[in-house]
Amino acid sequence: MTLDKNFDPAAIEARWYEHWETKGLFRPERDDREPFTIVNPPPNVTGSLHIGHALDNTLQDIIIRHERLKGKDALWVVGMDHAGIATQMVVERQMNERQQKRTDFTREEFVAKVWEWKEESGGTITGQLRRLGCSMDWSNERFTMDEGMNEAVLKVFVDLYNDGLIYRDKRLVNWDPALKTAISDLEVETVDTKGSFWHFKYPLADGVKLADGRDYIEVATTRPETMLADMAVAVHPSDERYKSVVGKEVVLPITGRRVPIVADEHADPELGSGAVKITPGHDFNDFEVGKRAGFAPADMLNMLDGEANVCQTADGLVPDEFIGLHRFRKDGVNGARELVVQRLKEQGFLIPHVSKDKEGEEVEHDAEPRTIATPFGDRGGVVIEPWLTDQWYVDAETLAQPAIEAVKSGAIEIVPKSWEKTYFNWMENIQPWCVSRQLWWGHRIPAWFGTEIKADGNNITITGTKIFVAETEEQALALAQDYVDKLGEKSEIFANNKAKIVTEAELAEGLENPDVTKVLEEINVYEIYRDSDVLDTWFSSALWPFGTLGWPEQTKDLERHYPNDLLISGFDILFFWDARMAMQGIHFMKEVPWKRLYLHGLVRAEDGSKMSKSKGNVVDPLGLIDQYGADALRFFMAAMESQGRDIKMDDKRVEGYRNFATKLWNASRFCEANGIGASKTLASPEASLPVNRWIISEVVETQQALDKALADLRFDAAANTIYHFTWDRFCDWYLELIKPVLQGEDASAADETRIVAGWVLDQIIAMLHPFMPFITEELWHAMAAENGGRDYDLIVAKWPEPKAAVDAQAKAEIDWLIKLVSEVRSTKVELNIAPGTKMTAHVRDGDDDLLAKIARQNAALDRVGRLETISFDPAPEGASAQIVVDGATYVLPLAGAIDVDAEKGRLNKALEAAQKEAKSLSGRLGNPNFVEKAKPEAVEKARADLADKEAEAERLQAAIDRLG
């Protein structure tokens, strides 16, 4: 097999990935080896590979390939998330195209259709992850709604409920009126929108007046429609203006509701009038104020239905003309907001906003224009409504305590450590976690509702709703029957009743019958129905580290691979996923889910801005793979991943790493052409030549630095280590320095060099494999083709073990050689001497050791350094350039090489120009007006330009000094 002249990534990537997967090489049988485990953050089944996925999965693959090469039983768990809202939306959208809707089908029929879609169209991203080169254990691919995960989810819910850590409560949630479900904070996007700020008068009741004589309190709001459900007005306890009216009441316009004036620190005396209208049923801050004021959540007024249309409040005070209106203008039709403003204006309760026109005349407006940070649902696309509703909650505060302690004790190490403060701040102030969603697709909540009954003989009272939580219908029915049997002990009415599961509609029909005793006697059954809600998607993914390993069954994989060794995650899901995994893992497994948590940054646009479709700056990783190859994209991600920093996308750098791959390809072709093939040993071969002993030492140091960088999760340092060794030391220097040996007459030296060069190339291929798996696998086999091929693929080969010490003498000698050649080349560039010009050097301050080194490296100095003679005799009179290397001075006569006077003139002119430009830039940066008022990127560019000009001036001065 001969390597093609040109490196073509597309020609090798698909072929090698199929080979690895078909042969089962992502999870070789290594039950007797040390385990190493990573779980992949499960992407949405609806998703496609974005640039953030490319970063996250590249970093994971680098680690897992490295650990696999080190001989471990390396498991990278892969799977997909069922993505409740996103998936249901996709399927419903397809139905709409066929003039169908979800409610045309039963729940079971709809869920079946979602499963059909999942099998036919879901999981596009798994193919895209393969294109990136991710070596995941596809043979055990998981899904958050597969049978095993479903069993885990049900058990966790039931156990948490029985432990008092899951409960049902009435609280405010982020309600998406388009999707008609509660959504998480992660699914809310805040957008600055143009809005208005209205000021109203709320009349004081019972003739009460403020100290200034006013008979009203002024309030302001951006959401006037919510006044229909106002329950209080809050003022600051220290606000002297309102101290006399705290505890008094106002009478709300429109509804006539009397509400108290309460003292609460939420009110800011410096903001507006200092008085705040309180709508606890429709505002998160007001909800807390309402609770402090003594309102129970069950008593808080709700004025909107699930579609954000006005409904009657519990006190019946909303006028009929508002009932059914949308909360604000929609589809060209005015809503409750507009009608509230109209009625308040008509009744004289609207305080106009006064501004001045161009002529300075005062002009009255209904409201003050404002830019308002408005929450939108990221999928429903409408304004989110804080809505008071019954939902299921996890007692996150209790579960958080062991997870906090795990980080404090070091049981979980967060990298970078700077994220610990953020983690602690959130966990120590954690709120109850709403885990119920009003969807059909997802893990249906294993809770059944029945009637809570107080029985005493023939006295039967319905006191509320009884909840039965169980993993199966049979278990729920048994719990209900036990409840009925206990009722039967208190009343003969229930003595022979049987528990029965019915639909929610069937039970509702029975409860509407006012003669409860008669109904119970006639039907002789106790009916329960299942909660129609499903669990938040994050609930199931929080179980990923142990649920994917077979829990609740005590499997071999669970025993070997839990806790996981490492989790790699974007910092943006630290709270939504990582922290919840920590809480659930510690609670159910009594151990942390992973020993280390690495948080990487975001991939941003080239200018540092966040990528978004609206800005048109989203980068498609598949497009980059098509253009430059997966290896180049992967290496870019690793090289740019610096702890605690975001990555700026840069196509030129990706292209540069494609060129790096090409460099390695061409170096391998050079080796192939010069009889250099695959190595036969893991340990370094014997070597006598300094250049070979040097390169072996470089391999030893590179492997040690690479292992340390990967152990420290310094991906940038790891990538740069192997990059510079491959490009600088091996390709640019070693291969150049051995050319005279390979082409010389000493056959023994040439044979040694071929063996060493083949071994070094093998080490490069192995060390580079985690970063660039495709090209390295190709070269691994190609370099052995002439010698009968390899016994195994690179993906399951052994990590380098040179078993050699650093040869300080050889390193010093070759480092000297490289410095001398580099100085000669730099001098030629500075003095405008053609690179191929052969020169003579005269040495001053040399010793016998230097003389011996020059003798040993004479061929390289001639061939690579273009120094045909190095003499210890004094240099002839005339112009010369001088360079100093390791204390010795080398004088290079310039006679015949350049016109010295003309070159001095050119250098002085260039120096003057560089100094002038540097002075100008320095003056600009010294001007506070420029630094403070110019765009940050302009200031940054000026600083970079100044550094360049100063460096250029320094270089030119050095060149002038060389000429004497």
Side-chain angles (χ1 to χ4, degrees), residues 56-267:
D56 195 69
N57 287 282
T58 292
L59 301 182
Q60 292 176 73
D61 198 39
I62 288 169
I63 295 297
I64 210 73
R65 285 180 183 270
H66 179 232
E67 297 295 341
R68 190 185 293 120
L69 287 170
K70 289 168 72 176
K72 294 182 182 178
D73 177 17
L75 169 62
W76 188 7
V77 175
V78 62
M80 289 186 297
D81 192 288
H82 64 276
I85 293 175
T87 305
Q88 182 159 320
M89 283 183 66
V90 168
V91 176
E92 288 197 63
R93 195 177 299 124
Q94 289 184 350
M95 286 182 167
N96 292 339
E97 291 171 359
R98 298 191 293 267
Q99 283 73 53
Q100 296 175 328
K101 56 183 183 292
R102 172 168 54 93
T103 51
D104 292 341
F105 303 89
T106 65
R107 183 187 188 115
E108 291 71 23
E109 289 170 341
F110 176 79
V111 170
K113 288 184 178 296
V114 181
W115 278 107
E116 287 175 14
W117 173 88
K118 189 259 181 185
E119 295 305 318
E120 294 173 4
S121 307
T124 299
I125 196 169
T126 61
Q128 296 167 337
L129 289 171
R130 287 173 167 89
R131 286 203 61 192
L132 188 62
C134 298
S135 56
M136 298 158 160
D137 183 18
W138 296 108
S139 63
N140 293 298
E141 183 180 356
R142 301 302 303 269
F143 184 54
T144 50
M145 279 188 63
D146 65 28
E147 187 175 346
M149 284 299 296
N150 188 59
E151 183 181 349
V153 168
L154 293 176
K155 178 171 175 55
V156 164
F157 188 96
V158 173
D159 286 359
L160 288 176
Y161 178 81
N162 290 334
D163 291 341
L165 295 172
I166 275 186
Y167 57 93
R168 194 161 171 82
D169 196 10
K170 186 181 288 291
R171 297 175 62 93
L172 281 183
V173 296
N174 295 312
W175 185 261
D176 188 320
L179 303 177
K180 292 188 280 296
T181 181
I183 62 175
S184 71
D185 291 341
L186 184 66
E187 294 155 327
V188 177
E189 293 181 343
T190 301
V191 180
D192 286 340
T193 58
K194 291 182 179 180
S196 300
F197 199 45
W198 288 269
H199 294 253
F200 305 141
K201 297 177 182 178
Y202 277 6
L204 289 157
D206 304 321
V208 173
K209 292 186 178 181
L210 297 175
D212 62 6
R214 283 183 296 154
D215 61 356
Y216 65 88
I217 287 181
E218 179 183 339
V219 297
T221 181
T222 59
R223 303 167 63 211
E225 68 280 5
T226 60
M227 66 88 60
L228 297 175
D230 277 357
M231 297 186 71
V233 170
V235 296
H236 196 275
S238 65
D239 196 330
E240 294 293 337
R241 294 170 295 179
Y242 301 112
K243 276 194 172 182
S244 64
V245 296
V246 171
K248 307 298 184 182
E249 293 181 326
V250 296
V251 180
L252 298 181
I254 300 179
T255 62
R257 183 181 302 120
R258 292 172 67 104
V259 303
I261 300 166
V262 300
D264 194 282
E265 292 185 353
H266 171 64

Side-chain angles (χ1 to χ4, degrees), residues 637-950:
M637 292 298 182
M640 299 302 290
E641 172 51 29
S642 180
Q643 288 184 8
R645 298 179 62 185
D646 289 342
I647 292 175
K648 289 183 182 179
M649 196 62 227
D650 187 344
D651 285 18
K652 285 295 182 185
R653 277 188 175 269
V654 182
E655 183 180 9
Y657 293 125
R658 196 271 314 276
N659 295 341
F660 170 58
T662 301
K663 179 95 170 178
L664 177 61
W665 185 269
N666 290 336
S668 302
R669 290 183 67 243
F670 168 83
C671 291
E672 192 178 57
N674 284 275
I676 298 169
S679 175
K680 300 288 187 183
T681 65
L682 187 63
S684 61
E686 293 293 326
S688 60
L689 296 181
V691 71
N692 289 330
R693 287 159 35 219
W694 165 74
I695 197 66
I696 290 172
S697 297
E698 291 290 313
V699 169
V700 171
E701 291 185 335
T702 298
Q703 184 249 328
Q704 290 172 349
L706 187 55
D707 275 343
K708 184 178 187 310
L710 289 175
D712 293 341
L713 301 174
R714 293 304 307 249
F715 294 96
D716 52 347
N720 290 328
T721 294
I722 186 60
Y723 176 91
H724 288 297
F725 172 69
T726 303
W727 189 299
D728 301 340
R729 310 309 262 176
F730 182 73
C731 295
D732 280 357
W733 286 110
Y734 181 69
L735 294 185
E736 286 299 315
L737 293 174
I738 66 173
K739 284 178 181 177
V741 181
L742 296 175
Q743 295 164 9
E745 296 180 359
D746 188 338
S748 175
D751 287 344
E752 174 192 302
T753 300
R754 287 189 179 91
I755 291 171
V756 171
W759 178 83
V760 174
L761 183 56
D762 266 10
Q763 309 316 297
I764 289 173
I765 289 170
M767 288 189 289
L768 189 58
H769 178 73
F771 305 87
M772 291 182 149
F774 294 111
I775 186 174
T776 51
E777 189 74 79
E778 180 78 5
L779 294 177
W780 173 259
H781 289 280
M783 297 311 296
E786 296 299 320
N787 298 320
R790 304 275 191 180
D791 294 332
Y792 41 79
D793 292 300
L794 175 60
I795 191 175
V796 289
K798 293 182 179 179
W799 187 247
E801 292 181 32
K803 296 181 180 175
V806 173
D807 190 323
Q809 184 179 356
K811 270 183 66 65
E813 181 165 324
I814 302 305
D815 285 346
W816 160 81
L817 174 62
I818 290 170
K819 281 189 280 187
L820 179 56
V821 172
S822 297
E823 288 291 333
V824 171
R825 288 175 173 175
S826 295
T827 299
K828 287 181 176 180
V829 171
E830 290 167 359
L831 301 180
N832 242 2
I833 300 172
T837 302
K838 290 213 169 187
M839 303 187 76
T840 298
H842 295 264
V843 183
R844 289 205 310 259
D845 310 318
D847 56 17
D848 290 343
D849 287 342
L850 179 59
L851 184 63
K853 282 194 290 189
I854 290 172
R856 285 193 297 271
Q857 301 302 332
N858 186 59
L861 288 166
D862 182 20
R863 171 72 181 264
V864 182
R866 309 303 287 169
L867 290 173
E868 58 183 353
T869 304
I870 298 182
S871 170
F872 276 66
D873 298 332
E877 295 292 326
S880 64
Q882 299 183 15
I883 56 179
V884 179
V885 176
D886 293 349
T889 302
Y890 301 80
V891 182
L892 306 178
L894 298 176
I898 57 167
D899 182 332
V900 175
D901 291 336
E903 185 59 22
K904 279 187 176 181
R906 182 187 73 81
L907 291 170
N908 277 304
K909 185 176 180 181
L911 175 61
E912 184 179 346
Q915 289 174 333
K916 183 178 179 181
E917 196 160 346
K919 183 178 180 181
S920 173
L921 288 164
S922 180
R924 193 188 313 173
L925 288 167
N927 182 350
N929 286 333
F930 171 72
V931 175
E932 293 170 8
K933 296 180 180 179
K935 291 183 177 179
E937 53 266 32
V939 176
E940 195 60 36
K941 184 179 186 304
R943 286 179 176 144
D945 290 345
L946 174 60
D948 288 344
K949 289 302 173 184
E950 288 176 339

Side-chain angles (χ1 to χ4, degrees), residues 445-726:
I445 291 175
W448 285 258
F449 300 133
T451 308
E452 187 173 66
I453 299 170
K454 182 179 180 181
D456 182 10
N458 290 328
N459 295 321
I460 306 299
T461 306
I462 293 179
T463 58
T465 301
K466 179 68 178 174
I467 301 176
F468 305 95
V469 172
E471 294 181 42
T472 65
E473 284 192 355
E474 292 75 17
Q475 292 170 357
L477 207 55
L479 290 174
Q481 187 61 55
D482 183 62
Y483 179 68
V484 174
D485 290 344
K486 288 178 180 177
L487 286 175
E489 295 172 4
K490 299 177 180 179
S491 172
E492 291 183 1
I493 294 174
F494 300 99
N496 298 310
N497 278 20
K498 297 296 182 185
K500 175 186 177 184
I501 294 176
V502 297
T503 66
E504 185 175 358
E506 289 171 336
L507 185 68
E509 182 180 349
L511 291 177
E512 286 175 3
N513 192 316
D515 192 348
V516 178
T517 304
K518 183 179 179 183
V519 171
L520 291 171
E521 288 175 339
E522 288 180 356
I523 60 175
N524 209 33
V525 295
Y526 178 80
E527 297 175 334
I528 61 173
Y529 66 95
R530 189 167 184 176
D531 193 334
S532 60
D533 289 352
V534 300
L535 286 164
D536 175 17
T537 297
W538 296 102
F539 188 90
S540 50
S541 57
L543 317 182
W544 204 240
F546 55 95
T548 54
L549 298 175
W551 189 89
E553 298 296 324
Q554 297 304 305
T555 64
K556 182 179 178 182
D557 272 349
L558 185 65
E559 180 183 353
R560 279 180 58 75
H561 293 281
Y562 190 94
N564 309 159
D565 292 88
L566 172 67
L567 178 72
I568 294 179
S569 157
F571 72 82
D572 52 334
I573 55 173
L574 170 60
F575 310 128
F576 298 102
W577 190 47
D578 306 344
R580 288 165 178 169
M581 279 190 288
M583 291 189 282
Q584 299 285 45
I586 294 171
H587 184 77
F588 285 97
M589 299 298 296
K590 310 308 176 189
E591 281 189 275
V592 298
W594 8 259
K595 301 160 191 172
R596 303 176 85 191
L597 167 60
Y598 180 81
L599 298 169
H600 60 75
L602 302 177
V603 183
R604 295 185 175 273
E606 194 168 354
D607 62 0
S609 63
K610 192 171 182 179
M611 292 186 186
S612 71
K613 291 179 181 178
S614 60
K615 292 180 181 177
N617 61 357
V618 174
V619 174
D620 177 14
L622 297 178
L624 293 172
I625 291 173
D626 290 338
Q627 190 170 2
Y628 303 113
D631 284 335
L633 176 60
R634 289 168 59 104
F635 204 90
F636 166 81
M637 292 298 182
M640 299 302 290
E641 172 51 29
S642 180
Q643 288 184 8
R645 298 179 62 185
D646 289 342
I647 292 175
K648 289 183 182 179
M649 196 62 227
D650 187 344
D651 285 18
K652 285 295 182 185
R653 277 188 175 269
V654 182
E655 183 180 9
Y657 293 125
R658 196 271 314 276
N659 295 341
F660 170 58
T662 301
K663 179 95 170 178
L664 177 61
W665 185 269
N666 290 336
S668 302
R669 290 183 67 243
F670 168 83
C671 291
E672 192 178 57
N674 284 275
I676 298 169
S679 175
K680 300 288 187 183
T681 65
L682 187 63
S684 61
E686 293 293 326
S688 60
L689 296 181
V691 71
N692 289 330
R693 287 159 35 219
W694 165 74
I695 197 66
I696 290 172
S697 297
E698 291 290 313
V699 169
V700 171
E701 291 185 335
T702 298
Q703 184 249 328
Q704 290 172 349
L706 187 55
D707 275 343
K708 184 178 187 310
L710 289 175
D712 293 341
L713 301 174
R714 293 304 307 249
F715 294 96
D716 52 347
N720 290 328
T721 294
I722 186 60
Y723 176 91
H724 288 297
F725 172 69
T726 303

